[in-house]
Amino acid sequence: MVLHKRLHYGFNGYLVPHTPRAARTPRKRSIPKRKTDENQLRAFDLLATIAGNLMLEGNKKHSASLTDSIKKEEHNIDKPLNAALSFFGSDVNRFPDLNNCAKEHPHAQGDAGSRPASVITTSDCSVKIGSPEQIVSDRNKFLLGTSTRIAGNKLSVAKVSPSCKLDCENKTHIENEPVDKGKMSVRNLANMCNSNGLVKFLSNKDHISCGSFSVKREGVKLDTRDDDENSCCTQPNTVNKAFRPCNEDRITNSVSSHCWKVNPDMKDGHRHFDADMDRRHFSQDNKNSFKGQRPLSDYPIKKRKLYDYYSLNNLSGGTNGKDCGSTPKGYWGDDPASLETSTGVTGPSASSAVEQASPRSRDSHVKLQIKSFRVPELFIEIPETATVASLKRTVMEAVTKILGDGLRVGVLLQGKKIRDDNRTLLQSGISDNNKQDSLGFMLEPNHFPAPVSVYSEGHPFLRFCESPKPSARYVDADNLVHYSLQHKAAVKSTDVPESNITNFMESEHDSAPSPPDVSEVKSAADSRALVPVPPENVEPLNMVPMRKPKRSVFAQRRIRRPFTVCEVETLVQAVENLGTGRWRDVKMRAFDNANHRTYVDLKDKWKTLVHTARISPRQRRGYPVPQELLDRVLLAHAYWSQQQAKQQLKQRSRSSPSPLKVKFVETPQTHFLMNGDLVVV
DNA sequence: GTTAGGG
DNA sequence: CCCTAAC
């Protein structure tokens, strides 16, 4: 097996590939700073939400009908995954123009057929508009920062997202300005719809006009903590129940002093927004780019990973346990399909929400990237007289064998094993971009729990198999090759977080679990794994002598097992009796039954005990050792050190008699007797 | 294989 | 707890 040139040595002696820096350290600098405008625009943004909210307030019956409609159709809703805009209306049937719009775009209509619930999606320049019912039922899916309303024959779009560059003055026809895949700016929508005579667009970057409601951007003042953790409070939404008062942020403006917060009950009210908003939202310091409407997919992978990183953080974090629901799109690919992998469902309702999700459009593909797999622990024994070629062949055979029929692939999502093979990616949540960072694959033995072993009785390695911990071992008797499949995660049949999945290798039955070591490779870039390289790279690599691994691949660092007070006492007692230089005796006399304590361990422990006893109590860490024991440690150490010195003096004087008598410079502070000798500390 | 000491 | 030199 040839290893990549840049492999580093990771824990357990595995050769690990260099982790791309970008994957480890997300950088903020990819998001230019434009703070001043941003605050105002955020306020403006919020204001528009409120505006939309107010409008809806004024039309409660629409809300009711919407709610009913949504409930009825929720399970059939197709998620407009690459829809940047969605609309709601109380009675969209009143707007034949919308349907006409779809008809005017045969291509779009065709797609709408295959994607029954698409609302408005854009791909390239096409516009797809679903049926009115579907539009109604998709009322939750609003582009962040966009408040829309259909009233009469007019669609009012209060668009205030700063990243969307609401810029009606710049009337570029949509035909001339291809829309970024997966999203569509309000401007483009407005332009497009205006060109179709469908929509009266009532807002621009400086002004919101929703019916009688009118506000200028200059009149908006933002008074809020500049804290993106709370930035979800600024996520606008036009649905009443999606908001509740929030005391954390305060927004003051000429219209409302309320701050609204996305209601956690609303699962996906803020799941759809464009990549620009995404960027803005996840910028920790609000250094935001308002520049363009570039989709995330247009950015280099390095940068995209940044957003993925934040997405991961949001999984566990987020205000009041609900993350801000942002989902970077297009992480794995640049085509529209890859942009559709987001459902943005988070929080405790995630699973159920996923369940409710109806089959998506047929062209929704989940794109995953597995950087590499780690081959499970492979134990090989080969005669030292064997040739290197033989070794290579042996390893190759072993690997081939376990890859061929000894292994299967396990899938972990957010630390939980997905065991139901019949679930769809959508149902299992794999298609959720938010979760993809916690998606892992692992290689696990195919024949678990029955260990597949061909070893013979009485084989020296049998004792490993006797271990209660599962460890399948394969032995090729002819070639004296043993390779063990040490499956780790497979042991735990229940849904265990991967961090708790442990690896057992010790033969001692009283052994403690080994450190977590999952044969799992995240789809993120940070994977420690063996990376085979194509043969064409073999030659130059072979020229470079590879550093010998410090640890054998088979050897695993023992788990740390702190000494108990009882053990310390036993050790102290033994050292008091035997001295500090007879660790083998100490082991045999006092720790003979403690298989996990070697005499080196005992020696090391004594060393640390002496150190601990010398430092001040407040500097000590770990489980506190009784001072009485530490005192005994010091005394015994002093005594035996003195004994050792005396012994050395005797030896020296005996071997090379010196006229100079070594004298002890005593600055006695404590005297005590030990074993009849005066000991000075 | 043990011991001592650095890491 | 690991590693290694020295014995």
Side-chain angles (χ1 to χ4, degrees):
Chain A
M1 180 175 295
V2 182
L3 299 171
H4 193 278
K5 197 177 185 176
R6 292 195 304 155
L7 289 180
H8 290 192
Y9 294 103
F11 70 100
N12 298 335
Y14 281 111
L15 291 170
V16 299
H18 178 73
T19 302
R21 189 179 192 84
R24 289 174 295 163
T25 315
R27 299 185 180 192
K28 301 174 183 175
R29 66 179 177 86
S30 62
I31 303 171
K33 184 174 186 176
R34 186 138 167 217
K35 195 157 184 137
T36 308
D37 275 358
E38 211 274 339
N39 279 338
Q40 193 171 40
L41 286 171
R42 267 173 79 173
F44 199 62
D45 201 5
L46 196 63
L47 198 57
T49 300
I50 296 168
N53 205 39
L54 291 175
M55 288 194 299
L56 197 63
E57 286 272 12
N59 208 350
K60 294 251 176 167
K61 60 173 185 176
H62 293 162
S63 299
S65 66
L66 277 174
T67 305
D68 292 339
S69 173
I70 288 150
K71 280 182 181 172
K72 205 188 303 178
E73 296 204 19
E74 188 112 58
H75 64 285
N76 268 331
I77 296 173
D78 185 16
K79 312 300 178 193
L81 289 168
N82 61 351
L85 286 174
S86 300
F87 296 85
F88 71 90
S90 58
D91 184 2
V92 193
N93 285 316
R94 279 195 269 147
F95 313 110
D97 285 346
L98 287 175
N99 293 319
N100 291 340
C101 181
K103 286 171 189 168
E104 289 173 13
H105 296 79
H107 165 66
Q109 199 179 27
D111 257 29
S114 62
R115 310 186 49 190
S118 294
V119 181
I120 292 182
T121 64
T122 70
S123 175
D124 298 321
C125 291
S126 65
V127 178
K128 309 160 191 175
I129 299 182
S131 68
E133 294 81 12
Q134 287 148 358
I135 291 174
V136 170
S137 62
D138 265 334
R139 63 81 173 88
N140 273 352
K141 302 170 187 61
F142 283 93
L143 173 66
L144 182 66
T146 302
S147 298
T148 59
R149 181 170 188 253
I150 297 174
N153 280 336
K154 295 171 184 175
L155 171 64
S156 300
V157 181
K159 177 68 192 85
V160 285
S161 167
S163 60
C164 271
K165 287 211 313 187
L166 199 86
D167 184 9
C168 286
E169 302 137 4
N170 183 13
K171 299 241 175 192
T172 310
H173 285 295
I174 191 163
E175 291 83 11
N176 298 333
E177 182 176 320
V179 181
D180 283 327
K181 292 172 182 175
K183 70 186 183 65
M184 174 175 167
S185 73
V186 170
R187 171 182 51 163
N188 287 334
L189 175 73
N191 288 333
M192 178 189 63
C193 291
N194 281 335
S195 67
N196 287 329
L198 298 176
V199 179
K200 185 175 181 183
F201 194 69
L202 294 177
S203 70
N204 61 29
K205 67 177 179 183
D206 293 321
H207 186 256
I208 302 174
S209 176
C210 302
S212 59
F213 178 80
S214 176
V215 165
K216 288 187 176 179
R217 185 160 72 93
E218 288 73 18
V220 179
K221 180 186 172 188
L222 178 67
D223 177 18
T224 178
R225 286 185 300 164
D226 196 15
D227 179 354
D228 262 17
E229 286 176 12
N230 296 316
S231 63
C232 58
C233 291
T234 66
Q235 291 188 20
N237 197 297
T238 58
V239 180
N240 278 339
K241 67 175 185 178
F243 295 87
R244 59 178 175 83
C246 163
N247 294 326
E248 295 168 0
D249 286 6
R250 298 178 309 282
I251 303 288
T252 60
N253 55 48
S254 60
V255 175
S256 171
S257 60
H258 288 93
C259 171
W260 303 89
K261 193 166 189 169
V262 175
N263 191 319
D265 293 339
M266 185 155 153
K267 292 167 186 171
D268 52 0
H270 50 271
R271 63 164 59 159
H272 295 289
F273 52 93
D274 62 41
D276 285 314
M277 182 56 80
D278 198 355
R279 253 171 257 132
R280 183 182 75 98
H281 181 73
F282 282 108
S283 154
Q284 280 190 324
D285 49 5
N286 282 334
K287 295 172 183 174
N288 301 319
S289 165
F290 308 136
K291 280 190 177 172
Q293 299 155 13
R294 252 170 105 194
L296 199 54
S297 55
D298 282 356
Y299 280 74
I301 285 184
K302 263 189 180 179
K303 290 188 177 181
R304 278 185 256 156
K305 279 172 181 164
L306 167 64
Y307 310 124
D308 204 68
Y309 167 83
Y310 284 123
S311 160
L312 179 63
N313 278 357
N314 252 23
L315 263 178
S316 52
T319 307
N320 64 7
K322 322 282 178 188
D323 68 68
C324 297
S326 51
T327 302
K329 299 172 182 176
Y331 181 84
W332 299 114
D334 289 339
D335 59 329
S338 72
L339 301 176
E340 300 183 9
T341 55
S342 159
T343 57
V345 181
T346 56
S349 61
S351 57
S352 59
V354 172
E355 297 278 3
Q356 288 169 5
S358 65
R360 230 176 279 169
S361 59
R362 285 168 218 145
D363 55 352
S364 289
H365 286 197
V366 180
K367 295 207 169 184
L368 304 171
Q369 185 180 27
I370 302 173
K371 295 284 186 183
S372 58
F373 272 113
R374 177 195 296 171
V375 175
E377 186 165 344
L378 202 60
F379 182 68
I380 295 173
E381 183 176 313
I382 189 168
E384 61 181 2
T385 53
T387 63
V388 173
S390 170
L391 173 64
K392 288 179 180 176
R393 198 167 50 243
T394 298
V395 174
M396 194 62 218
E397 286 172 4
V399 171
T400 303
K401 184 161 186 178
I402 61 171
L403 290 180
D405 55 14
L407 288 181
R408 65 183 178 197
V409 172
V411 178
L412 290 166
L413 186 64
Q414 292 182 312
K416 292 189 173 184
K417 257 185 98 174
I418 299 179
R419 309 176 70 196
D420 187 353
D421 291 344
N422 295 322
R423 300 180 81 182
T424 65
L425 300 188
L426 180 65
Q427 287 170 332
S428 56
I430 292 177
S431 56
D432 184 347
N433 255 5
N434 257 347
K435 296 180 180 175
Q436 280 182 10
D437 208 21
S438 58
L439 176 66
F441 298 90
M442 57 188 182
L443 301 178
E444 56 189 35
N446 208 6
H447 305 290
F448 179 78
V452 177
S453 50
V454 260
Y455 59 84
S456 54
E457 284 301 322
H459 191 276
F461 291 95
L462 182 59
R463 69 184 191 98
F464 287 99
C465 302
E466 290 167 349
S467 166
K469 292 88 185 180
S471 173
R473 179 169 297 274
Y474 300 75
V475 175
D476 183 338
D478 291 337
N479 296 324
L480 260 182
V481 173
H482 314 265
Y483 46 106
S484 88
L485 267 182
Q486 203 181 347
H487 50 83
K488 290 116 187 186
V491 177
K492 307 279 184 176
S493 58
T494 53
D495 289 341
V496 182
E498 60 187 71
S499 58
N500 291 337
I501 297 170
T502 51
N503 169 29
F504 302 97
M505 192 55 195
E506 293 188 52
S507 58
E508 285 92 23
H509 288 238
D510 62 339
S511 63
S514 297
D517 180 13
V518 187
S519 300
E520 173 260 356
V521 177
K522 289 189 172 184
S523 48
D526 181 15
S527 76
R528 302 178 181 87
L530 294 166
V531 181
V533 293
E536 53 264 26
N537 295 338
V538 168
E539 276 313 311
L541 289 182
N542 282 346
M543 309 284 284
V544 183
M546 275 214 302
R547 208 182 78 196
K548 182 190 172 190
K550 284 187 176 178
R551 286 183 59 81
S552 161
V553 184
F554 323 120
Q556 180 164 352
R557 183 186 178 99
R558 292 187 300 155
I559 189 172
R560 181 176 176 270
R561 286 195 198 178
F563 275 72
T564 64
V565 173
C566 180
E567 283 180 308
V568 169
E569 186 166 10
T570 304
L571 177 61
V572 171
Q573 179 72 49
V575 173
E576 282 174 347
N577 294 332
L578 298 170
T580 54
R582 302 170 60 190
W583 299 111
R584 183 172 171 272
D585 288 339
V586 171
K587 158 71 179 172
M588 294 208 307
R589 296 202 190 189
F591 291 86
D592 202 28
N593 293 326
N595 292 332
H596 58 290
R597 302 294 189 200
T598 67
Y599 50 75
V600 176
D601 293 335
L602 302 176
K603 182 262 301 177
D604 287 342
K605 180 58 182 175
W606 184 262
K607 182 173 64 178
T608 59
L609 276 175
V610 171
H611 178 256
T612 302
R614 284 172 173 168
I615 62 179
S616 67
R618 57 192 298 267
Q619 288 179 295
R620 296 168 188 166
R621 295 182 301 175
Y623 195 84
V625 178
Q627 187 61 39
E628 179 259 343
L629 281 177
L630 292 176
D631 292 340
R632 288 170 64 187
V633 167
L634 277 187
L635 294 181
H637 191 259
Y639 170 78
W640 287 108
S641 296
Q642 191 169 319
Q643 291 298 107
Q644 214 168 25
K646 287 181 181 176
Q647 196 72 20
Q648 286 177 355
L649 279 176
K650 283 181 185 174
Q651 288 178 355
R652 248 184 240 170
S653 60
R654 216 180 297 144
S655 59
S656 59
S658 164
L660 293 177
K661 287 289 181 186
V662 176
K663 66 172 182 181
F664 284 102
V665 179
E666 297 189 17
T667 54
Q669 294 176 351
T670 305
H671 300 264
F672 64 97
L673 284 172
M674 192 171 204
N675 293 353
D677 288 337
L678 177 67
V679 177
V680 180
V681 177

